[in-house]
Amino acid sequence: METYNLTYDLICIRANGEWVVAQKAHQGAEPESRTLTIFQFLHVKENITRLREGLAHIHYPDDDELRDIRKRVEAGRKRLEAEDLTTILAYLSAHQEPDRSIYSGDDQIREALKSHDLLKDMYPSLSLECGCEILSSIVEASADRKLPIKLELDYANELSPSEWAYLVDLDTKEVWLFRGTELEYQGHPFNNVLLYPYVPKFLIKFPFSDLQDLSEDSLKDLVGLVHGANYDVDFSVKGDD
């Protein structure tokens, strides 16, 4: 069963001058993997076009809708809890792919169900485990499959020094990377957006075109540089020859 500490990242999208996505997500064990997934998504030009198109089909549930969603998730959990252990274990295996050997008894199976994120199974775009999968989820959204999203932009005020924020800016065609917070200043993309005068601390940004010029191996090398860099020194990336 997967466990998390209370460390989060924030994945944002800005389009047509508006903040349309601000997805809070559990960081997990390897922040580098999230950066790589975002870079790999932006590496494909068609993904950016489809992302723009998918944004027309996102939906922001109001408080009443969110309460209804929580009720449906809880009802789903109760139905599962009423099932036999074989059915519960099969469900967990299908949705978590755990090593069955970690469950040594009936009580552990039921405890695993209690801690399992059923919200991710039923409404993945609202789950803290969604992470950068939100990008591909938006791509798949359509007029008859509206995608519910919570806009959690305020969390940008609260990033700890180990927490990252990503801004996919469809207006400037750049991806911005941040970690921790700093005092806001003129020209910062989060300036005058948040309640408190702290904004994600800017590290570096890349034009989409730079990422698209790189090979898969070079993207991985770039992620290593990004996560290991001294940000007192500027560095840039050039496409593969």
Side-chain angles (χ1 to χ4, degrees):
M1 180 173 51
E2 199 166 17
T3 58
Y4 297 95
N5 56 27
L6 297 179
T7 305
Y8 303 95
D9 292 330
L10 189 67
I11 300 163
C12 302
I13 301 175
R14 190 167 60 177
N16 301 319
E18 300 289 336
W19 295 84
V20 292
V21 172
Q23 178 85 12
K24 185 179 174 182
H26 278 127
Q27 188 177 88
E30 298 180 356
E32 294 89 345
S33 64
R34 177 159 293 159
T35 304
L36 179 59
T37 301
I38 292 172
F39 283 7
Q40 287 172 330
F41 179 90
L42 297 172
H43 177 69
V44 180
K45 291 182 181 180
E46 291 79 7
N47 284 345
I48 297 168
T49 300
R50 296 175 64 197
L51 183 65
R52 289 181 183 276
E53 295 169 350
L55 288 173
H57 306 302
I58 64 175
H59 167 60
Y60 305 108
D62 59 24
D63 289 342
D64 289 339
E65 290 175 282
L66 289 173
R67 275 192 293 270
D68 287 342
I69 287 171
R70 285 193 290 270
K71 288 178 181 178
R72 287 194 284 272
V73 171
E74 187 56 32
R77 187 179 302 281
K78 288 180 178 178
R79 284 194 298 271
L80 272 173
E81 288 173 345
E83 296 286 355
D84 59 80
L85 292 174
T86 300
T87 301
I88 293 173
L89 186 56
Y91 180 88
L92 292 173
S93 297
H95 291 82
Q96 287 185 297
E97 300 181 3
D99 178 356
R100 290 177 183 237
S101 66
I102 68 174
Y103 301 120
S104 60
D106 296 354
D107 289 344
Q108 282 199 357
I109 295 174
R110 294 200 178 276
E111 284 300 314
L113 178 60
K114 285 182 182 179
S115 61
H116 178 68
D117 185 9
L118 216 66
L119 181 65
K120 184 180 181 183
D121 302 340
M122 299 174 67
Y123 300 92
S125 59
L126 297 177
S127 169
L128 288 170
E129 293 188 41
C130 181
C132 50
E133 293 173 18
I134 194 65
L135 300 175
S136 55
S137 296
I138 293 171
V139 164
E140 295 169 4
S142 62
D144 57 353
R145 290 183 58 193
K146 292 283 188 179
L147 188 72
I149 287 180
K150 285 177 66 179
L151 200 61
E152 299 180 284
L153 195 57
D154 287 348
Y155 193 70
N157 275 143
E158 305 173 24
L159 294 176
S160 74
S162 63
E163 293 176 322
W164 291 69
Y166 303 85
L167 169 58
V168 176
D169 195 326
L170 295 176
D171 295 336
T172 65
K173 301 179 181 179
E174 297 170 315
V175 58
W176 300 59
L177 279 71
F178 311 84
R179 188 178 64 209
T181 57
E182 61 185 339
L183 282 172
E184 67 180 357
Y185 55 85
Q186 195 67 32
H188 192 286
F190 286 85
N191 191 43
N192 296 324
V193 173
L194 305 173
L195 180 61
Y196 301 108
Y198 293 95
V199 292
K201 184 178 180 179
F202 172 67
L203 300 180
I204 196 166
K205 63 181 178 179
F206 299 102
F208 299 161
S209 57
D210 280 5
L211 300 180
Q212 291 158 6
D213 287 340
L214 296 179
S215 67
E216 182 69 22
D217 286 343
S218 294
L219 279 178
K220 294 176 182 178
D221 291 343
L222 179 59
V223 170
L225 286 172
V226 165
H227 282 264
N230 175 3
Y231 287 97
D232 293 328
V233 179
D234 290 334
F235 71 94
S236 59
V237 59
K238 296 181 180 180
D240 296 334
D241 293 329

